[in-house]
């Protein structure tokens, strides 16, 4: 009886809550958290957890994350209590807020035929007043120097201002309104190098600064054949794939092939989790738990790969600790610059210096992947010739690893949703930067990271952190949706039973009245 009453009350509560959220643009995750608290208050904790396990398709993760040295419980605690709040704040500060990118490169693999295929659709020349004055002056100075030493180019049609671009939907258009940056902010440029794992655009004239805060990764409506073609090109042509039927266990693959596959799969799982966390429901943004369940939640291997990718990137931050702390983060915004250094010290500090509420879990995550196992050939038990052959095979595998990942970054230029292209290019650069750090024999000997690489690395770490942190919320929301459906069934059944009882009683009352009337007549 108590369960019946609880379900009925829950249906009424959630019905009224959803009515408020639908009318409020600020609904979203706050409303979802409120719904979760309402549901938890209706049941004892043990009953809540029992019901959740029974009705949710998203599994409760436990045990070790595959191919890592960390378990799910440790990651969850460290993310929610330490890493996610720090990375979230770090990504809002001036240094990590802007990303310089060429969004107009043509697809090198097939002819663009989507909604943003033309240059006017995908990229626009932003008006001068949208670019901080010092940036514009430095860009113009460098471009003039290049033009003075190059042949005079053919006349080109001037680009349209951002507010006049055509051919894009509102969801896919990138907003280039930049918040004010400090006067000392220095521009960056990309260099060609065998150590650059992602291709981002070599023409400085074509690169623009994007304010990432005003263009968050979320649902854009980009789907169907065009989106499927991107992922097919990545998996079918530029990935190491497990044998058919072994996608969950990844048996039959060497360690390096598993790592590559997990990174690509984990990145896709993170992107889909962001879409589910920030989905457009009519006139407001909020979570979409059923979409999450369909794309990620009911696939345990995708969840595992998400956690693995997060541990991989966090290990890169941990290994690059000294260089991160010594980097020059000057932007001219003194308060932001100081806060960047403070957060980074808290983020990657060792166990003796850590002020974290969970220092053990923090260090476990920062050391959650063993990069020394990559492309390593154990000499024990091998003859000299066998050892040399094995080393050559690993060398060739590393070249394939690099070539495939560079191709994945180039495929991002085939994404015809501009905002999706922005985040695709940023995250492949961030992941490529993590790979470069972890494959280096000595990180102190590699060239200092370019500013764009560091910005991409921190932002991909933040995105992965947000996805991992969102797994539990989306599972709770999946439970709420399932219980709402159950509550609706129970309430509907109850109403039907009550209506049936009322009808039976009325019929019996009518029958009794007729019998009584007949007796009086007799």
């Amino acid at each position: 009886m108590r369960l019946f009453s609880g379900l009925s009350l829950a249906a009424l509560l959630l019905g009224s809550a959803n009515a408020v959220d639908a009318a409020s643009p600020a609904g979203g995750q706050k409303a979802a958290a409120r719904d979760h608290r309402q549901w938890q208050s209706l049941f004892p904790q043990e009953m809540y957890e029992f019901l959740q396990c029974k009705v949710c398709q998203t599994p409760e993760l436990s045990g070790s994350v595959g191919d890592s040295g960390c378990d799910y419980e440790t990651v969850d605690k460290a993310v929610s209590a330490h890493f996610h709040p720090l990375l979230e704040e770090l990504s809002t500060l001036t240094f990590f807020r802007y990303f310089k990118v060429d969004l107009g490169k043509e697809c090198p693999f097939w002819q663009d035929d989507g909604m943003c295929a033309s240059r006017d659709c995908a990229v626009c020349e932003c008006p001068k007043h949208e670019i901080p004055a010092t940036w514009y002056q430095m860009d113009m100075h460098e471009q003039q120097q290049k033009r003075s030493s190059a042949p005079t180019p053919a006349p080109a049609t001037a680009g349209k201002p951002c507010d006049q671009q055509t051919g894009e939907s509102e969801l896919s258009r990138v907003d280039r309104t930049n918040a004010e940056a400090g006067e000392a902010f220095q521009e960056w440029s990309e260099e060609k190098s065998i150590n650059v794992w992602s291709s981002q655009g070599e023409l400085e004239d074509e690169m623009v600064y994007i304010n990432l805060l005003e263009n968050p990764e979320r649902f854009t409506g980009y789907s169907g054949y065009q989106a499927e073609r991107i992922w097919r090109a990545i998996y079918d042509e530029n990935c190491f794939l497990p044998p058919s039927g072994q996608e969950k266990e990844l048996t039959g693959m060497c360690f390096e092939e598993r790592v590559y596959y997990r990174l690509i799969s984990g990145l896709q799982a993170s992107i889909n989790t962001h879409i589910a966390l920030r989905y457009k429901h009519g006139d407001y943004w909020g979570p979409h738990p059923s979409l999450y369940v369909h794309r990620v939640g009911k696939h345990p291997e995708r969840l595992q790969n998400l956690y693995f990718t997060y541990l991989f990137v966090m290990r890169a931050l941990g290994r690059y600790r000294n260089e991160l702390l010594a980097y020059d983060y000057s932007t001219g915004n003194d308060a932001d610059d100081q806060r960047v250094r403070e957060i980074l010290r808290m983020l990657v500090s060792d166990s003796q210096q850590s002020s974290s509420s969970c220092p053990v879990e923090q260090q476990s995550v920062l050391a959650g992947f063993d990069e020394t196992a990559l492309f390593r050939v154990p000499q024990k038990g091998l003859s000299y010739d066998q050892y040399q052959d094995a080393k050559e095979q690993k060398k060739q595998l590393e070249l394939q690893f690099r070539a495939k990942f560079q191709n994945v970054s180039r495929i991002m230029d085939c994404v015809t949703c501009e905002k999706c292209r922005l985040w695709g290019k940023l995250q492949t650069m961030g992941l490529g930067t993590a790979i470069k750090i972890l494959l280096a024999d000595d990180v102190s000997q590699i060239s200092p990271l370019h500013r764009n690489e560091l910005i991409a690395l921190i932002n991909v770490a933040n995105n992965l952190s947000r996805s991992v942190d969102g797994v539990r919320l989306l599972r709770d929301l999946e439970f709420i949706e399932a219980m709402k459906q159950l509550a609706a069934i129970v309430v509907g059944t109850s109403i039907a039973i009550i209506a049936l009882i009322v009808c039976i009683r009325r019929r019996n009352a009518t029958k009794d009245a007729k019998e009584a009337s007949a007796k009086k007549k007799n």
Side-chain angles (χ1 to χ4, degrees):
M1 186 66 185
R2 180 181 177 184
L3 176 60
F4 173 81
S5 302
L7 290 171
S8 302
L9 176 60
L12 295 174
L13 284 172
L14 289 169
S16 61
N18 288 341
V20 173
D21 295 340
S24 171
Q29 295 186 28
K30 291 183 179 179
R34 183 181 67 244
D35 286 355
H36 177 221
R37 289 192 297 270
Q38 288 177 340
W39 272 100
Q40 280 192 316
S41 67
L42 295 173
F43 305 104
Q45 183 64 26
E46 291 183 0
M47 180 183 290
Y48 181 88
E49 293 176 355
F50 173 78
L51 290 172
Q52 194 175 39
C53 288
K54 292 297 181 182
V55 303
C56 287
Q57 296 183 66
T58 303
E60 179 71 26
L61 300 173
S62 62
S64 298
V65 180
D67 288 321
S68 79
C70 208
D71 57 62
Y72 292 104
E73 294 83 0
T74 297
V75 175
D76 285 336
K77 183 176 180 179
V79 167
S80 61
H82 183 70
F83 290 115
H84 181 55
L86 292 176
L87 286 167
E88 192 78 7
E89 182 182 355
L90 192 61
S91 67
T92 67
L93 301 177
T94 303
F95 186 90
F96 295 105
R97 189 188 307 165
Y98 300 98
F99 184 62
K100 193 174 186 184
V101 62
D102 178 4
L103 293 175
K105 290 186 69 178
E106 294 184 0
C107 174
F109 300 108
W110 57 77
Q111 183 177 357
D112 287 338
D113 57 0
M115 60 181 179
C116 297
S118 71
R119 184 175 177 82
D120 287 340
C121 169
V123 174
C124 67
E125 291 285 339
C126 291
K128 179 178 177 179
H129 68 267
E130 290 190 13
I131 304 173
T134 52
W135 295 11
Y136 186 81
Q137 292 167 3
M138 287 187 291
D139 288 345
M140 291 298 100
H141 178 68
E142 183 169 342
Q143 289 173 15
Q144 287 172 1
Q145 286 184 325
K146 289 182 178 180
R147 291 192 185 105
S148 64
S149 59
T152 303
T157 303
K160 294 182 180 180
C162 286
D163 58 358
Q164 296 179 16
Q165 58 187 330
T166 59
E168 291 180 282
S169 71
E170 288 298 322
L171 291 175
S172 68
R173 182 175 299 164
V174 170
D175 178 3
R176 289 186 175 78
T177 304
N178 291 313
E180 184 175 355
E183 291 294 316
F185 194 94
Q186 299 295 314
E187 72 164 3
W188 56 80
S189 61
E190 183 174 291
E191 298 178 5
K192 294 181 179 179
S193 167
I194 60 171
N195 290 322
V196 175
W197 279 72
S198 59
S199 174
Q200 294 294 320
E202 295 77 27
L203 297 177
E204 185 71 23
D205 290 359
E206 305 298 333
M207 299 180 78
V208 293
Y209 293 99
I210 300 296
N211 187 331
L212 299 175
L213 292 184
E214 295 175 3
N215 299 278
E217 184 179 40
R218 59 186 182 184
F219 175 75
T220 64
Y222 183 60
S223 60
Y225 169 73
Q226 293 172 333
E228 291 172 2
R229 180 167 60 175
I230 296 296
W231 288 112
R232 278 203 310 271
I234 291 174
Y235 280 105
D236 294 348
E237 302 174 27
N238 295 283
C239 192
F240 299 98
L241 295 176
S244 179
Q246 300 178 6
E247 291 81 1
K248 294 183 179 180
E249 294 80 12
L250 300 186
T251 54
M253 302 177 75
C254 70
F255 178 64
E256 292 80 8
E257 291 173 338
R258 293 199 307 272
V259 166
Y260 186 99
Y261 178 80
R262 289 191 190 281
L263 290 176
I264 298 299
S265 174
L267 181 60
Q268 184 183 17
S270 178
I271 291 170
N272 282 323
T273 301
H274 280 178
I275 292 172
L277 283 169
R278 297 174 172 181
Y279 194 86
K280 189 170 181 64
H281 301 272
D283 59 352
Y284 78 98
W285 294 90
H288 193 322
S290 59
L291 177 69
Y292 166 77
V293 172
H294 173 69
R295 294 189 179 183
V296 182
K298 68 179 182 180
H299 305 279
E301 69 280 5
R302 297 179 187 178
L303 282 170
Q304 180 170 212
N305 294 337
L306 168 62
Y307 275 71
F308 173 85
T309 305
Y310 175 73
L311 287 170
F312 186 94
V313 171
M314 294 307 294
R315 173 55 191 151
L317 290 179
R319 192 176 187 220
Y320 205 64
R321 174 188 292 112
N322 294 335
E323 289 72 20
L324 275 177
L325 297 179
Y327 204 91
D328 181 10
Y329 296 100
S330 301
T331 65
N333 185 329
D334 294 339
D336 269 18
D337 298 345
Q338 178 62 28
R339 186 57 181 159
V340 164
R341 288 185 280 270
E342 292 173 356
I343 292 177
L344 285 173
R345 279 195 294 270
M346 291 187 285
L347 193 71
V348 298
S349 59
D350 57 32
S351 55
Q352 287 76 26
Q353 299 175 329
S354 177
S355 59
S356 168
S357 60
C358 51
V360 175
E361 289 81 2
Q362 174 195 356
Q363 296 306 312
S364 295
V365 168
L366 291 175
F369 177 76
D370 180 13
E371 68 278 2
T372 63
L374 284 170
F375 304 105
R376 182 179 63 184
V377 179
Q379 191 170 5
K380 186 177 180 180
L382 298 178
S383 67
Y384 176 80
D385 290 341
Q386 290 174 329
Y387 179 65
Q388 293 302 318
D389 288 344
K391 283 180 62 177
E392 180 61 27
Q393 290 176 12
K394 287 291 185 182
K395 181 179 179 180
Q396 293 302 316
L397 180 61
E398 183 174 357
L399 292 175
Q400 290 182 46
F401 196 105
R402 185 191 306 273
K404 286 178 181 291
F405 194 86
Q406 287 177 338
N407 256 1
V408 169
S409 73
R410 296 175 68 205
I411 289 173
M412 294 302 108
D413 289 316
C414 300
V415 176
T416 53
C417 160
E418 195 175 35
K419 189 172 289 185
C420 305
R421 179 181 292 200
L422 163 67
W423 283 101
K425 291 169 79 74
L426 180 145
Q427 291 182 105
T428 52
M429 176 180 269
L431 201 54
T433 302
I435 295 172
K436 178 168 70 173
I437 291 171
L438 294 183
L439 287 186
D441 293 330
D442 183 354
V443 292
S444 65
Q445 299 302 313
I446 64 175
S447 300
L449 291 184
H450 304 136
R451 186 172 301 177
N452 235 21
E453 289 179 304
L454 190 53
I455 290 167
L457 178 62
I458 291 297
N459 274 280
V460 77
N462 179 49
N463 283 3
L464 289 164
S465 177
R466 186 185 298 120
S467 295
V468 170
D469 191 60
V471 167
R472 187 168 297 278
L473 171 65
L474 288 165
R475 185 171 186 264
D476 288 335
L477 295 180
E478 178 195 355
F479 169 73
I480 290 173
E481 282 201 350
M483 294 303 289
K484 282 169 62 179
Q485 294 175 5
L486 178 59
I489 293 172
V490 171
V491 171
T493 303
S494 301
I495 293 173
I497 292 173
I498 292 172
L500 180 61
I501 292 173
V502 170
C503 288
I504 292 174
R505 287 183 175 179
R506 284 182 177 177
R507 188 178 65 181
N508 290 340
T510 302
K511 182 179 179 181
D512 291 343
K514 288 181 178 179
E515 290 177 352
S517 177
K519 287 180 179 180
K520 287 181 180 180
K521 289 180 180 180
N522 294 333

